Coordinates of all heavy atoms in Angstrom, one line a residue:
M1 N 194.8 158.1 218.3 CA 194.0 156.9 218.1 C 192.6 157.1 218.6 O 191.9 156.1 219.0 CB 194.7 155.7 218.9 CG 196.0 155.3 218.3 SD 196.6 153.6 218.7 CE 196.8 153.7 220.5
D2 N 192.1 158.3 218.5 CA 190.7 158.6 218.9 C 189.7 157.9 218.0 O 188.6 157.8 218.3 CB 190.5 160.1 218.9 CG 191.3 160.8 220.0 OD1 191.6 160.1 221.0 OD2 191.6 162.0 219.8
Y3 N 190.2 157.5 216.8 CA 189.3 156.9 215.8 C 189.0 155.4 216.1 O 188.2 154.8 215.4 CB 189.8 157.1 214.4 CG 191.2 156.6 214.2 CD1 191.5 155.3 213.8 CD2 192.3 157.5 214.4 CE1 192.8 154.9 213.7 CE2 193.6 157.0 214.2 CZ 193.8 155.7 213.9 OH 195.1 155.3 213.7
L4 N 189.7 154.8 217.0 CA 189.6 153.4 217.3 C 188.5 153.2 218.4 O 188.3 154.0 219.3 CB 190.9 152.9 217.9 CG 192.1 152.9 217.0 CD1 193.3 152.4 217.8 CD2 191.9 152.1 215.7
D5 N 187.7 152.1 218.2 CA 186.7 151.8 219.2 C 187.3 151.0 220.3 O 188.5 150.7 220.3 CB 185.5 151.0 218.6 CG 185.9 149.6 218.1 OD1 186.9 149.1 218.5 OD2 185.1 149.1 217.2
Q6 N 186.6 150.7 221.4 CA 187.1 150.1 222.6 C 187.8 148.7 222.3 O 188.8 148.4 222.8 CB 186.0 149.9 223.6 CG 185.6 151.2 224.3 CD 186.8 151.8 225.2 OE1 187.9 151.6 224.9 NE2 186.4 152.5 226.2
E7 N 187.1 148.0 221.5 CA 187.6 146.6 221.1 C 189.0 146.7 220.4 O 189.9 146.0 220.7 CB 186.6 145.9 220.3 CG 187.1 144.4 220.0 CD 186.1 143.7 219.2 OE1 185.0 144.2 218.9 OE2 186.4 142.5 218.8
E8 N 189.1 147.7 219.5 CA 190.4 147.9 218.8 C 191.5 148.3 219.7 O 192.6 147.9 219.7 CB 190.2 148.9 217.7 CG 189.3 148.3 216.5 CD 188.9 149.4 215.5 OE1 188.6 150.6 216.0 OE2 188.7 149.1 214.4
K9 N 191.1 149.2 220.7 CA 192.1 149.7 221.7 C 192.6 148.5 222.5 O 193.8 148.5 222.9 CB 191.5 150.8 222.5 CG 191.3 152.1 221.7 CD 190.7 153.2 222.6 CE 190.5 154.5 221.8 NZ 189.8 155.5 222.5
K10 N 191.7 147.6 222.9 CA 192.0 146.5 223.8 C 193.0 145.6 223.0 O 193.9 145.1 223.6 CB 190.8 145.7 224.2 CG 190.0 146.4 225.3 CD 188.8 145.5 225.7 CE 187.9 146.3 226.7 NZ 186.7 145.5 227.0
I11 N 192.7 145.4 221.7 CA 193.6 144.5 220.9 C 195.0 145.1 220.8 O 196.0 144.4 221.0 CB 193.0 144.3 219.5 CG1 191.7 143.4 219.6 CG2 194.0 143.6 218.6 CD1 190.9 143.3 218.4
I12 N 195.1 146.4 220.6 CA 196.4 147.1 220.5 C 197.1 147.0 221.8 O 198.3 146.7 221.9 CB 196.2 148.5 220.0 CG1 195.8 148.5 218.5 CG2 197.5 149.3 220.2 CD1 195.4 149.9 218.0
E13 N 196.4 147.2 222.9 CA 197.0 147.2 224.2 C 197.5 145.8 224.5 O 198.6 145.6 225.0 CB 196.0 147.6 225.3 CG 196.6 147.6 226.7 CD 195.5 148.1 227.7 OE1 194.6 148.9 227.4 OE2 195.6 147.5 228.8
S14 N 196.7 144.8 224.1 CA 197.1 143.4 224.3 C 198.4 143.1 223.5 O 199.3 142.4 224.0 CB 196.0 142.5 223.9 OG 196.4 141.1 223.9
Y15 N 198.5 143.5 222.3 CA 199.6 143.3 221.4 C 200.9 144.0 222.0 O 201.9 143.4 222.1 CB 199.4 143.8 220.0 CG 200.6 143.8 219.1 CD1 201.0 142.6 218.6 CD2 201.4 144.9 218.9 CE1 202.1 142.5 217.8 CE2 202.5 144.9 218.1 CZ 202.9 143.6 217.5 OH 204.0 143.6 216.8
E16 N 200.7 145.2 222.5 CA 201.8 146.0 223.0 C 202.3 145.4 224.4 O 203.5 145.6 224.7 CB 201.4 147.5 223.2 CG 201.3 148.2 221.9 CD 200.7 149.6 222.0 OE1 200.2 149.9 223.1 OE2 200.8 150.3 221.0
N17 N 201.4 144.7 225.1 CA 201.8 144.0 226.3 C 202.5 142.7 226.1 O 202.8 141.9 227.0 CB 200.6 143.8 227.2 CG 200.1 145.2 227.8 OD1 200.9 146.1 227.9 ND2 198.9 145.2 228.2
G18 N 202.7 142.3 224.8 CA 203.4 141.1 224.5 C 202.5 139.8 224.7 O 203.0 138.7 224.8
E19 N 201.2 140.0 224.6 CA 200.3 138.8 224.8 C 200.1 138.0 223.5 O 199.4 137.0 223.5 CB 198.9 139.3 225.3 CG 199.1 140.0 226.7 CD 197.8 140.6 227.2 OE1 196.7 140.4 226.6 OE2 197.8 141.4 228.1
W20 N 200.6 138.5 222.4 CA 200.5 137.8 221.2 C 201.8 137.1 220.8 O 202.9 137.7 221.0 CB 200.1 138.8 220.1 CG 198.8 139.5 220.2 CD1 198.5 140.4 221.2 CD2 197.6 139.3 219.5 NE1 197.2 140.8 221.1 CE2 196.6 140.1 220.0 CE3 197.3 138.5 218.4 CZ2 195.3 140.1 219.5 CZ3 196.0 138.5 217.9 CH2 195.1 139.3 218.4
V21 N 201.7 135.9 220.3 CA 202.8 135.2 219.8 C 202.6 134.7 218.4 O 201.5 134.4 218.0 CB 203.2 134.0 220.7 CG1 203.6 134.4 222.1 CG2 202.0 133.0 220.8
S22 N 203.7 134.6 217.6 CA 203.6 134.1 216.3 C 203.2 132.6 216.3 O 203.6 131.8 217.1 CB 204.9 134.2 215.6 OG 204.9 133.6 214.3
S23 N 202.3 132.3 215.3 CA 201.9 130.9 215.2 C 202.9 130.0 214.4 O 202.7 128.8 214.3 CB 200.5 130.8 214.6 OG 200.5 131.4 213.4
G24 N 203.9 130.7 213.9 CA 205.0 129.9 213.2 C 204.7 129.9 211.7 O 203.6 130.1 211.3
E25 N 205.8 129.6 211.0 CA 205.7 129.6 209.5 C 204.9 128.4 209.0 O 204.2 128.6 208.0 CB 207.1 129.5 208.9 CG 207.9 130.9 209.0 CD 207.1 132.0 208.2 OE1 206.6 131.7 207.1 OE2 207.0 133.1 208.8
G26 N 204.9 127.3 209.7 CA 204.1 126.2 209.3 C 202.6 126.5 209.1 O 202.0 126.2 208.0
I27 N 202.0 127.0 210.1 CA 200.6 127.4 210.0 C 200.3 128.5 209.0 O 199.3 128.5 208.3 CB 200.0 127.7 211.4 CG1 198.5 127.8 211.4 CG2 200.6 129.0 212.0 CD1 197.8 126.5 211.3
K28 N 201.3 129.4 208.9 CA 201.1 130.5 208.0 C 201.1 129.9 206.5 O 200.2 130.4 205.7 CB 202.2 131.5 208.1 CG 202.2 132.4 209.3 CD 203.3 133.3 209.3 CE 203.4 134.1 210.6 NZ 204.6 135.0 210.7
E29 N 202.0 129.0 206.2 CA 202.0 128.4 204.9 C 200.7 127.6 204.7 O 200.2 127.6 203.6 CB 203.2 127.5 204.7 CG 203.4 127.0 203.3 CD 203.5 128.1 202.3 OE1 204.0 129.2 202.6 OE2 203.0 127.8 201.2
E30 N 200.2 126.9 205.7 CA 199.0 126.1 205.5 C 197.8 127.1 205.2 O 197.0 126.8 204.4 CB 198.8 125.4 206.8 CG 197.7 124.4 206.8 CD 197.5 123.6 208.1 OE1 198.6 123.2 208.7 OE2 196.4 123.3 208.5
I31 N 197.8 128.2 205.9 CA 196.7 129.2 205.7 C 196.8 129.8 204.3 O 195.8 130.0 203.6 CB 196.7 130.3 206.8 CG1 196.3 129.7 208.1 CG2 195.8 131.4 206.4 CD1 196.5 130.5 209.3
R32 N 198.0 130.1 203.9 CA 198.2 130.6 202.5 C 197.7 129.6 201.5 O 197.1 130.0 200.5 CB 199.7 130.9 202.3 CG 200.2 132.2 202.9 CD 201.6 132.5 202.4 NE 202.3 133.4 203.3 CZ 203.1 133.2 204.3 NH1 203.5 131.9 204.4 NH2 203.6 134.1 205.0
K33 N 198.1 128.3 201.6 CA 197.6 127.3 200.7 C 196.1 127.2 200.7 O 195.5 127.1 199.6 CB 198.3 126.0 201.0 CG 199.7 125.9 200.6 CD 200.3 124.5 201.0 CE 201.8 124.4 200.7 NZ 202.3 123.1 201.1
A34 N 195.5 127.2 201.8 CA 194.0 127.1 201.9 C 193.4 128.3 201.2 O 192.4 128.1 200.5 CB 193.6 127.0 203.4
A35 N 193.9 129.5 201.5 CA 193.4 130.7 200.8 C 193.5 130.6 199.3 O 192.6 130.9 198.6 CB 194.1 131.9 201.4
K36 N 194.6 130.2 198.8 CA 194.9 130.0 197.4 C 193.9 129.0 196.8 O 193.3 129.2 195.8 CB 196.3 129.7 197.1 CG 196.6 129.6 195.6 CD 198.1 129.3 195.4 CE 198.3 129.2 193.9 NZ 199.7 128.8 193.6
N37 N 193.8 127.9 197.5 CA 192.9 126.8 197.0 C 191.5 127.2 196.9 O 190.7 126.7 196.1 CB 193.1 125.5 197.8 CG 194.4 124.9 197.5 OD1 195.0 125.1 196.4 ND2 194.9 124.0 198.4
S38 N 191.1 128.1 197.9 CA 189.7 128.5 197.9 C 189.3 129.4 196.8 O 188.1 129.6 196.5 CB 189.4 129.2 199.2 OG 190.0 130.5 199.3
T39 N 190.3 130.0 196.1 CA 190.0 130.9 195.0 C 190.3 130.2 193.6 O 190.0 130.8 192.6 CB 190.8 132.2 195.1 OG1 192.2 131.8 195.0 CG2 190.5 132.9 196.3
L40 N 190.8 129.0 193.6 CA 191.1 128.3 192.3 C 189.8 127.9 191.7 O 188.9 127.4 192.3 CB 192.0 127.1 192.6 CG 193.4 127.3 193.0 CD1 194.1 125.9 193.2 CD2 194.1 128.1 191.9
K41 N 189.7 128.2 190.4 CA 188.5 127.7 189.7 C 189.0 126.6 188.7 O 189.6 126.9 187.7 CB 188.0 128.9 188.9 CG 187.4 130.0 189.8 CD 186.8 131.1 189.1 CE 186.3 132.1 190.1 NZ 186.0 133.4 189.5
N42 N 188.8 125.4 189.1 CA 189.3 124.3 188.4 C 188.2 123.4 187.7 O 188.5 122.3 187.2 CB 190.2 123.4 189.2 CG 189.5 123.0 190.5 OD1 188.4 123.2 190.7 ND2 190.3 122.3 191.4
K43 N 187.0 123.8 187.7 CA 185.9 123.1 187.1 C 185.2 124.0 186.1 O 184.9 125.1 186.3 CB 184.9 122.6 188.1 CG 185.4 121.6 189.1 CD 185.8 120.3 188.5 CE 186.3 119.4 189.5 NZ 187.0 118.2 188.9
R44 N 185.0 123.4 184.9 CA 184.3 124.1 183.9 C 182.9 123.4 183.7 O 182.8 122.2 183.7 CB 185.1 124.0 182.6 CG 184.5 124.6 181.4 CD 185.4 124.5 180.2 NE 186.6 125.3 180.4 CZ 186.8 126.4 179.8 NH1 185.9 127.0 179.1 NH2 188.0 127.1 180.0
I45 N 181.9 124.3 183.5 CA 180.6 123.8 183.2 C 180.0 124.4 182.0 O 180.4 125.5 181.6 CB 179.6 124.0 184.4 CG1 179.4 125.5 184.7 CG2 180.1 123.3 185.7 CD1 178.2 125.7 185.6
N46 N 179.0 123.8 181.4 CA 178.3 124.4 180.3 C 176.8 124.5 180.8 O 176.3 123.7 181.5 CB 178.3 123.5 179.1 CG 179.6 123.5 178.4 OD1 180.3 124.5 178.3 ND2 180.0 122.3 178.0
I47 N 176.2 125.6 180.5 CA 174.9 125.9 180.9 C 174.1 126.6 179.8 O 174.6 127.4 179.1 CB 174.9 126.8 182.2 CG1 173.5 127.0 182.8 CG2 175.6 128.1 182.0 CD1 173.5 127.7 184.1
R48 N 172.8 126.2 179.7 CA 172.0 126.8 178.7 C 171.1 127.8 179.4 O 170.5 127.5 180.4 CB 171.1 125.7 178.0 CG 171.9 124.7 177.3 CD 171.4 124.6 175.9 NE 172.2 123.6 175.1 CZ 172.9 123.9 174.1 NH1 172.9 125.2 173.7 NH2 173.6 123.0 173.4
L49 N 171.0 129.0 178.8 CA 170.2 130.1 179.3 C 169.3 130.6 178.2 O 169.7 130.5 177.0 CB 171.1 131.2 179.8 CG 172.1 131.0 180.9 CD1 173.0 132.2 181.1 CD2 171.3 130.6 182.2
T50 N 168.2 131.2 178.6 CA 167.5 131.9 177.5 C 168.3 133.1 177.1 O 169.1 133.6 177.8 CB 166.1 132.4 178.1 OG1 166.4 133.4 179.1 CG2 165.3 131.3 178.7
E51 N 168.0 133.6 175.9 CA 168.7 134.7 175.3 C 168.5 135.9 176.2 O 169.4 136.7 176.5 CB 168.1 135.0 173.9 CG 168.8 136.2 173.2 CD 170.2 135.8 172.7 OE1 170.5 134.6 172.5 OE2 171.0 136.7 172.5
K52 N 167.3 136.1 176.7 CA 167.0 137.3 177.6 C 167.8 137.2 178.9 O 168.4 138.2 179.3 CB 165.5 137.3 177.9 CG 165.2 138.5 178.8 CD 163.7 138.6 179.2 CE 163.3 139.8 180.0 NZ 164.3 140.4 180.9
D53 N 167.8 136.0 179.5 CA 168.6 135.9 180.8 C 170.1 136.2 180.5 O 170.8 136.8 181.3 CB 168.4 134.5 181.4 CG 167.1 134.3 182.1 OD1 166.5 135.3 182.4 OD2 166.7 133.2 182.3
F54 N 170.6 135.6 179.4 CA 172.0 135.9 179.1 C 172.3 137.4 178.9 O 173.3 137.9 179.4 CB 172.4 135.1 177.8 CG 173.8 135.3 177.4 CD1 174.8 134.7 178.2 CD2 174.2 135.9 176.3 CE1 176.2 134.9 177.9 CE2 175.5 136.1 175.9 CZ 176.5 135.6 176.7
K55 N 171.4 138.0 178.1 CA 171.6 139.5 177.9 C 171.5 140.3 179.2 O 172.3 141.2 179.5 CB 170.6 140.0 176.9 CG 170.8 139.5 175.5 CD 172.1 139.9 174.9 CE 172.2 139.4 173.5 NZ 173.5 139.6 172.9
D56 N 170.5 139.9 180.0 CA 170.4 140.6 181.3 C 171.6 140.4 182.2 O 172.1 141.3 182.9 CB 169.1 140.0 182.1 CG 167.8 140.5 181.4 OD1 167.9 141.4 180.6 OD2 166.8 139.9 181.8
I57 N 172.2 139.2 182.2 CA 173.4 138.9 183.0 C 174.6 139.8 182.4 O 175.3 140.3 183.2 CB 173.7 137.4 183.0 CG1 172.8 136.7 183.9 CG2 175.2 137.2 183.4 CD1 172.9 135.2 183.9
Q58 N 174.7 139.8 181.1 CA 175.7 140.6 180.5 C 175.6 142.1 180.9 O 176.6 142.8 181.2 CB 175.7 140.5 179.0 CG 176.3 139.2 178.5 CD 176.3 139.1 177.0 OE1 175.3 139.5 176.3 NE2 177.4 138.7 176.5
V59 N 174.4 142.6 180.9 CA 174.1 144.0 181.3 C 174.5 144.2 182.8 O 175.2 145.2 183.1 CB 172.7 144.4 181.0 CG1 172.3 145.7 181.7 CG2 172.4 144.5 179.5
K60 N 174.0 143.3 183.6 CA 174.4 143.5 185.1 C 175.9 143.4 185.3 O 176.4 144.2 186.1 CB 173.7 142.3 185.9 CG 172.2 142.4 186.0 CD 171.9 143.5 187.0 CE 170.4 143.4 187.3 NZ 169.9 144.6 188.0
A61 N 176.6 142.5 184.6 CA 178.0 142.4 184.7 C 178.7 143.7 184.2 O 179.6 144.2 184.9 CB 178.5 141.2 183.9
M62 N 178.2 144.3 183.2 CA 178.8 145.6 182.7 C 178.6 146.7 183.7 O 179.4 147.5 184.0 CB 178.2 145.9 181.3 CG 178.8 145.2 180.2 SD 178.5 145.9 178.6 CE 176.7 145.6 178.4
E63 N 177.4 146.7 184.3 CA 177.1 147.7 185.4 C 178.0 147.5 186.6 O 178.4 148.5 187.2 CB 175.6 147.5 185.9 CG 174.6 148.0 184.8 CD 173.2 147.6 185.2 OE1 173.0 147.0 186.3 OE2 172.2 148.0 184.5
E64 N 178.4 146.3 186.9 CA 179.3 146.0 188.0 C 180.7 146.1 187.6 O 181.6 146.2 188.4 CB 179.1 144.6 188.5 CG 177.7 144.3 189.2 CD 177.5 145.1 190.4 OE1 178.4 145.3 191.2 OE2 176.4 145.7 190.6
G65 N 181.0 146.2 186.3 CA 182.4 146.3 185.8 C 183.2 145.0 185.9 O 184.4 145.0 186.1
I66 N 182.5 143.9 185.8 CA 183.1 142.6 185.8 C 182.7 141.7 184.7 O 181.6 141.9 184.1 CB 182.8 141.8 187.2 CG1 181.3 141.6 187.3 CG2 183.4 142.6 188.4 CD1 180.9 140.8 188.5
P67 N 183.4 140.7 184.3 CA 183.0 139.8 183.2 C 181.8 139.0 183.7 O 181.6 138.7 184.8 CB 184.2 138.8 183.1 CG 185.4 139.5 183.7 CD 184.8 140.4 184.8
Y68 N 180.9 138.7 182.7 CA 179.7 138.0 183.0 C 179.9 136.6 183.6 O 179.2 136.2 184.5 CB 178.7 137.9 181.8 CG 179.2 136.9 180.7 CD1 178.8 135.6 180.8 CD2 179.9 137.3 179.6 CE1 179.2 134.7 179.8 CE2 180.3 136.5 178.7 CZ 179.9 135.1 178.7 OH 180.3 134.3 177.7
Q69 N 181.0 135.9 183.2 CA 181.3 134.6 183.9 C 181.6 134.8 185.4 O 181.2 134.0 186.2 CB 182.5 133.9 183.2 CG 182.3 133.6 181.7 CD 182.9 134.7 180.8 OE1 183.0 135.8 181.2 NE2 183.4 134.2 179.7
T70 N 182.3 135.9 185.7 CA 182.6 136.1 187.1 C 181.3 136.4 187.9 O 181.2 135.9 189.0 CB 183.5 137.3 187.2 OG1 184.7 137.1 186.5 CG2 183.9 137.7 188.7
L71 N 180.4 137.1 187.3 CA 179.1 137.4 187.9 C 178.3 136.1 188.2 O 177.8 135.9 189.3 CB 178.3 138.4 187.1 CG 176.9 138.7 187.6 CD1 176.9 139.3 189.0 CD2 176.1 139.5 186.6
I72 N 178.3 135.3 187.2 CA 177.6 134.0 187.3 C 178.2 133.1 188.4 O 177.5 132.6 189.3 CB 177.5 133.2 186.0 CG1 176.7 134.0 185.0 CG2 177.0 131.8 186.2 CD1 176.8 133.4 183.5
S73 N 179.5 133.1 188.4 CA 180.3 132.3 189.4 C 180.0 132.9 190.8 O 179.8 132.1 191.8 CB 181.8 132.4 189.2 OG 182.5 131.7 190.1
S74 N 179.9 134.2 190.9 CA 179.7 134.9 192.2 C 178.2 134.5 192.7 O 178.0 134.3 193.9 CB 179.8 136.4 192.1 OG 179.4 137.0 193.2
I75 N 177.3 134.6 191.8 CA 175.9 134.2 192.2 C 175.8 132.8 192.7 O 175.2 132.6 193.7 CB 175.0 134.4 190.9 CG1 174.8 135.9 190.6 CG2 173.6 133.8 191.2 CD1 174.2 136.2 189.3
I76 N 176.4 131.9 192.0 CA 176.4 130.5 192.4 C 177.1 130.3 193.8 O 176.6 129.6 194.7 CB 177.1 129.6 191.4 CG1 176.2 129.5 190.1 CG2 177.3 128.2 191.9 CD1 176.9 128.9 188.9
H77 N 178.2 131.0 194.0 CA 179.0 130.9 195.2 C 178.1 131.5 196.4 O 178.0 130.8 197.4 CB 180.3 131.7 195.1 CG 181.1 131.7 196.4 ND1 181.8 130.6 196.8 CD2 181.3 132.7 197.3 CE1 182.4 130.9 197.9 NE2 182.1 132.1 198.3
K78 N 177.5 132.6 196.2 CA 176.7 133.2 197.2 C 175.5 132.3 197.5 O 175.1 132.2 198.7 CB 176.2 134.6 196.8 CG 177.3 135.6 196.8 CD 176.8 137.0 196.3 CE 177.9 138.0 196.2 NZ 177.5 139.3 195.7
Y79 N 174.9 131.7 196.5 CA 173.8 130.8 196.8 C 174.2 129.6 197.6 O 173.5 129.2 198.6 CB 173.1 130.3 195.5 CG 172.0 129.4 195.6 CD1 170.7 130.0 195.9 CD2 172.1 128.1 195.5 CE1 169.6 129.1 196.1 CE2 171.0 127.2 195.7 CZ 169.8 127.8 196.0 OH 168.7 126.9 196.2
N80 N 175.3 129.0 197.3 CA 175.8 127.8 198.0 C 176.2 128.2 199.4 O 176.1 127.3 200.3 CB 177.1 127.3 197.3 CG 176.7 126.5 196.1 OD1 175.6 126.0 195.9 ND2 177.7 126.3 195.2
K81 N 176.7 129.4 199.7 CA 177.0 129.8 201.0 C 175.8 130.2 201.9 O 175.9 130.5 203.0 CB 178.0 131.0 201.0 CG 179.3 130.7 200.3 CD 180.5 130.4 201.1 CE 180.7 131.3 202.2 NZ 181.7 130.8 203.2
G82 N 174.6 130.3 201.2 CA 173.4 130.7 201.9 C 173.2 132.2 202.0 O 172.3 132.7 202.6
D83 N 174.1 133.0 201.3 CA 173.9 134.4 201.2 C 172.9 134.9 200.2 O 172.5 136.0 200.2 CB 175.3 135.1 200.9 CG 176.3 134.8 202.0 OD1 175.9 134.5 203.2 OD2 177.5 134.9 201.7
L84 N 172.5 134.0 199.4 CA 171.5 134.3 198.3 C 170.4 133.2 198.4 O 170.7 132.1 198.3 CB 172.2 134.3 197.0 CG 171.4 134.8 195.8 CD1 171.1 136.3 195.9 CD2 172.3 134.6 194.5
K85 N 169.2 133.6 198.5 CA 168.1 132.7 198.6 C 167.3 132.7 197.4 O 167.1 133.7 196.7 CB 167.2 133.1 199.8 CG 167.9 133.1 201.1 CD 168.3 131.8 201.6 CE 169.0 131.9 203.0 NZ 169.7 130.7 203.3
A86 N 166.7 131.5 197.0 CA 165.8 131.4 195.9 C 164.5 132.1 196.2 O 164.0 132.1 197.4 CB 165.5 129.9 195.6
N87 N 164.0 132.8 195.2 CA 162.7 133.5 195.4 C 161.6 132.4 195.5 O 161.5 131.6 194.7 CB 162.4 134.4 194.2 CG 161.3 135.4 194.5 OD1 160.6 135.3 195.5 ND2 161.2 136.3 193.6
S88 N 160.8 132.5 196.5 CA 159.7 131.5 196.8 C 158.4 131.9 196.2 O 157.3 131.4 196.7 CB 159.6 131.2 198.3 OG 159.3 132.3 199.0
D89 N 158.3 132.9 195.3 CA 157.1 133.4 194.8 C 156.4 132.3 193.9 O 156.9 131.6 193.2 CB 157.3 134.7 193.9 CG 157.6 135.8 194.9 OD1 157.3 135.7 196.1 OD2 158.1 136.8 194.3

């Protein structure tokens, strides 16, 4: 276990000392449902883009190996979470 850092070693030691307890099936199921719901895509939108922007998005998506709709959804999600900022130029 030489590849573990100090924090990881403390966690393992804590677990081995019996300091961890199961939170029960109820909370596990609640977390599973929340995770599933966070990935559901249940809204459809229509958007108009310039031909150039559309082609550029398709190229970027191909470079990433993902469908262009997935790329657009990812960009919107990142912007909403604050991980992507609008260019202020």
Side-chain angles (χ1 to χ4, degrees):
M1 292 201 297
D2 293 334
Y3 54 89
L4 300 176
D5 65 23
Q6 286 294 28
E7 184 177 354
E8 292 168 326
K9 289 177 182 177
K10 285 181 184 177
I11 291 171
I12 290 172
E13 184 179 325
S14 172
Y15 175 78
E16 289 173 346
N17 289 336
E19 297 173 14
W20 294 71
V21 295
S22 174
S23 56
E25 283 303 311
I27 191 72
K28 288 179 187 177
E29 186 57 33
E30 191 176 320
I31 291 169
R32 281 188 198 102
K33 286 181 184 177
K36 183 178 179 182
N37 289 338
S38 72
T39 60
L40 290 178
K41 294 179 181 170
N42 56 3
K43 296 293 179 193
R44 179 179 292 260
I45 66 167
N46 291 318
I47 184 171
R48 297 232 179 244
L49 301 172
T50 65
E51 183 75 20
K52 181 180 180 337
D53 284 342
F54 181 68
K55 293 294 182 190
D56 289 347
I57 286 172
Q58 285 183 312
V59 168
K60 290 283 188 191
M62 282 195 292
E63 289 172 356
E64 295 293 322
I66 59 174
Y68 72 88
Q69 298 98 327
T70 302
L71 176 62
I72 293 169
S73 179
S74 174
I75 291 167
I76 292 170
H77 179 75
K78 288 176 183 177
Y79 181 80
N80 284 340
K81 301 260 314 167
D83 296 336
L84 187 65
K85 302 290 182 195
N87 193 353
S88 60
D89 290 342

